[in-house]
Amino acid sequence: MGFAAPAAQAQASDPPDEAQRIVTVRPGDTLGALLDDAGVDAAEAHAAIAALTPVFEPRRLAVGQEVGLRIDGENALVGLEIAPKPGHTVALQRAGEGWSVQEVVTPRLRHLARVEAPISGGVFSSLTRAGLPAPLTHALIRALSHEVDFQRDIQPGDRIAVAFERLRGPDGDLLGHGQLHYAALTLSGRTLEVWRHAGPDGDVDWYRADGRPLRGGFLRTPLDGARVTSGFGMRRHPVLGYSRRHAGLDFGAPSGTPIYAAADGTVASIRFERGYGRTVRLRHPGGVETVYAHMSRFTRGLKAGARVRQGAVIGAVGSSGMSTGPHLHYEIRIAGVAQNPARVELPGGEPLRGPDLVAFHQSRRELGGHMATLTTGRTEVALAAD
């Protein structure tokens, strides 16, 4: 990282007795310790850090981060520069007897990028290998979980394509990633296409081509990275040793894995139930109830009567109650009757209508035009500035 003084105070050249130094933060380092190692007087270092703190909290220094120092021939600090994240620089500069602090934020230009890959070894690994960042991959998988059971529905030959934003500086440097915009998942020849769009209430969600939302349906898998270990229907009970009907699906996952509410609802009960152990029951419109059992813990503050949003963490995977190992037992009941969570048809959310539907179709057309320019050999296209 090169040190650059704020533009208003930059000099044609540094004084001959002034040195520039780049130091890298190591485990256990503090900004005070770095200045002390550079020979800066303790009182002066304290004053500089006090001036910097309202803009950048020194405790946020991360291992591997670089700090630029300007020190004169008498080991007096002239200035320092820190880049907390790509495209964002904080510069401290001596100003008479005190200090001035300037934040410089590089303009972030949005570019539309597209990746496509066959699904091999799981959706997450396939997308990250293709170049989609892990946080966006997690968000996409969670969104598609409204429609897809990633344990059962994926077959050899299936593919996935995603359009998303890359954020670059004016010089082309990658500064980060923006939003997901589009996904197409081809399963056994059938393609599910979804677009990200701000609905009438301002909330951003995923919609099908006809304006029906994915959200509002029930999550098929209410936790990440799980595998189905026991299906719905008759089975030999692993603890009791005889056959009886299994009223839900079991998802094997490490203890402590977060469990999500499968849909918007109200906590009907949160308690320890004999064979089910720590159990949360959520009540949903239309006489639907979802059950989450064998938890290791409940989310702090969650109680009966509380309203929860779809995707909210309600607890963690465990092995409480009658269980042979950490897993989630998940049920969907309609009017008290257990249904197969992998197959039951449940009501979805309200579709877009009127002007909201018109706006959605317009944004789809604009995105489609950008995506059409992403041909072989061209991986990005610039988007209009916000």
Side-chain angles (χ1 to χ4, degrees):
M1 176 186 73
F3 185 93
Q9 300 175 9
Q11 304 297 319
S13 61
D14 293 319
D17 60 347
E18 185 177 299
Q20 297 186 19
R21 187 181 307 175
I22 304 296
V23 294
T24 302
V25 179
R26 297 165 299 181
D29 277 348
T30 64
L31 184 55
L34 293 176
L35 294 175
D36 182 63
D37 290 345
V40 176
D41 176 76
E44 185 174 67
H46 178 78
I49 292 173
L52 179 69
T53 298
V55 177
F56 174 77
E57 172 55 60
R59 286 179 295 183
R60 289 165 48 202
L61 277 178
V63 173
Q65 200 166 30
E66 293 181 333
V67 180
L69 302 177
R70 294 175 63 193
I71 298 174
D72 68 16
E74 298 179 350
N75 276 344
L77 182 67
V78 178
L80 66 82
E81 184 177 90
I82 300 170
K85 55 186 177 182
H88 184 193
T89 302
V90 178
L92 179 76
Q93 184 79 5
R94 184 177 290 281
E97 297 298 317
W99 299 92
S100 66
V101 183
Q102 181 178 352
E103 287 187 274
V104 178
V105 179
T106 303
R108 301 195 302 173
L109 307 178
R110 298 185 303 129
H111 290 71
L112 184 70
R114 183 178 184 275
V115 297
E116 183 174 0
I119 301 174
S120 176
V123 174
F124 181 85
S125 58
S126 299
L127 283 175
T128 52
R129 282 196 305 266
L132 189 67
L136 294 186
T137 303
H138 278 302
L140 180 64
I141 290 174
R142 188 168 302 169
L144 293 178
S145 293
H146 298 282
E147 186 71 16
V148 180
D149 183 338
F150 286 102
Q151 301 303 316
R152 293 169 174 255
D153 294 346
I154 304 299
Q155 303 295 327
D158 291 344
R159 300 184 64 84
I160 188 165
V162 183
F164 64 103
E165 290 177 358
R166 289 192 182 118
L167 306 177
R168 295 192 180 276
D171 56 2
D173 286 348
L174 182 64
L175 301 181
H177 295 87
Q179 301 293 343
L180 294 158
H181 283 282
Y182 165 85
L185 184 61
T186 301
L187 303 172
S188 302
R190 176 182 66 91
T191 298
L192 168 68
E193 286 188 291
V194 289
W195 289 260
R196 193 173 181 274
H197 179 73
D201 57 0
D203 287 344
V204 176
D205 244 319
W206 289 91
Y207 294 85
R208 298 174 176 85
D210 60 2
R212 289 181 298 127
L214 281 184
R215 191 180 181 279
F218 283 63
L219 295 177
R220 297 291 183 183
T221 307
L223 68 170
D224 295 331
R227 67 190 188 283
V228 176
T229 55
S230 185
F232 181 87
M234 293 300 296
R235 66 163 186 176
R236 184 177 179 83
H237 195 280
V239 175
L240 300 176
Y242 55 82
S243 294
R244 72 174 187 178
R245 186 168 180 266
H246 189 223
L249 295 179
D250 286 349
F251 295 97
S255 185
T257 300
I259 298 169
Y260 309 118
D264 292 355
T266 302
V267 179
S269 65
I270 176 170
R271 63 192 180 192
F272 194 96
E273 299 185 13
R274 295 185 63 188
Y276 276 10
R278 293 182 185 87
T279 302
V280 171
R281 294 176 181 265
L282 300 182
R283 185 169 54 249
H284 311 278
V288 180
E289 181 185 62
T290 53
V291 182
Y292 314 78
H294 303 305
M295 291 184 176
S296 60
R297 60 177 175 79
F298 303 127
T299 292
R300 183 174 297 179
L302 192 68
K303 59 184 179 181
R307 292 194 56 79
V308 294
R309 296 276 287 173
Q310 185 178 61
V313 176
I314 57 174
V317 169
S319 189
S320 59
M322 197 179 296
S323 169
T324 58
H327 72 283
L328 168 68
H329 172 83
Y330 174 54
E331 295 180 14
I332 295 179
R333 293 178 171 269
I334 301 177
V337 179
Q339 309 288 329
N340 185 346
R343 298 288 178 260
V344 64
E345 293 295 328
L346 294 166
E350 285 295 312
L352 297 171
R353 294 186 175 89
D356 297 313
L357 183 59
V358 172
F360 170 65
H361 287 318
Q362 175 63 28
S363 66
R364 281 183 57 224
R365 285 192 294 269
E366 292 175 359
L367 182 65
H370 289 305
M371 290 174 58
T373 66
L374 294 176
T375 56
T376 302
R378 187 176 184 184
T379 60
E380 293 183 12
V381 59
L383 298 173
D386 292 328

